Amino acid sequence: TYHHILAAYDGSKAAKKALEHAVAIASIGPNTKLTVAHVLYRPVFDIGSFAYGSSEEYMKQVEQFETSIMEHAREIIAPIPYSRIVVLTGNPVPAILDYAKDNHCDLIVMGSRGLGAIQEWMLGSVSHHVVQKAQVPVLVVK
Ligand code: ATP
Ligand code: MG
Ligand code: MG
């Protein structure tokens, strides 16, 4: 079993599905820790709206989006006793990799795609780079 699973979560459909798999794996071990990492780094397109009007209106939308995806994550991880959500900042790739390294995570779970508008490639850039650079196994869920 794993000691500490890191689930990278941006609130996308694939990330939610990935989180469900992370929960299934974490529930095998009696003491497996599960951390959900959400990196606050959100290009405008990523929440599916344009930054029209005042930034106040935009920020309100971002806040509502953040609140709802976090509530969803909390519900998904509720069955795991040693689980928590952390909010990181910066570029998602180094944020995820550094967190995994610093906290001795032995599995990273993430979606194949995220909130990006362009769906041309099978892997999004975050999952692509994490798979390439991670020093531990990465489970990519689609
Ligand atoms: P791109 O961002 O390259 O336009 P995309 O948004 O479709 O493409 P990714 O961003 O690579 O795809 O998302 C793949 C997975 O990476 C997500 O399902 C999620 O698990 C993780 N991820 C992406 N962004 C974040 C983030 N800001 N915080 C936490 N995890 C993230
Ligand atoms: Mg993106
Ligand atoms: Mg993305």
Side-chain angles (χ1 to χ4, degrees):
T1 60
Y2 295 98
H3 291 292
H4 188 182
I5 299 170
L6 179 63
Y9 178 78
D10 63 355
S12 64
K13 203 173 155 207
K16 284 175 183 167
K17 220 168 141 186
L19 191 51
E20 284 164 8
H21 283 263
V23 166
I25 297 165
S27 63
I28 297 168
N31 300 310
T32 303
K33 281 196 280 185
L34 173 62
T35 298
V36 178
H38 176 55
V39 187
L40 285 179
Y41 177 83
R42 205 168 289 291
V44 170
F45 286 130
D46 275 10
I47 63 161
S49 74
F50 299 93
Y52 55 83
S54 67
S55 63
E56 199 183 301
E57 174 65 22
Y58 175 65
M59 285 317 293
K60 215 162 74 189
Q61 283 185 36
V62 171
E63 233 169 78
Q64 278 170 6
F65 177 79
E66 296 293 343
T67 306
S68 76
I69 69 167
M70 291 322 214
E71 275 170 9
H72 195 87
R74 227 187 314 276
E75 283 169 23
I76 300 176
I77 66 172
I80 306 300
Y82 303 104
S83 61
R84 60 180 175 169
I85 299 175
V86 296
V87 177
L88 310 173
T89 55
N91 188 320
V93 174
I96 292 163
L97 291 170
D98 290 349
Y99 188 91
K101 207 172 181 180
D102 294 346
N103 295 277
H104 309 287
C105 297
D106 48 2
L107 177 69
I108 299 171
V109 181
M110 62 198 310
S112 60
R113 301 298 325 209
L115 297 166
I118 303 161
Q119 299 286 316
E120 280 174 48
W121 300 284
M122 197 185 80
L123 287 183
S125 60
V126 176
S127 41
H128 175 88
H129 286 103
V130 169
V131 165
Q132 272 198 329
K133 294 175 187 161
Q135 296 179 356
V136 294
V138 180
L139 173 61
V140 177
V141 178
K142 66 167 199 170

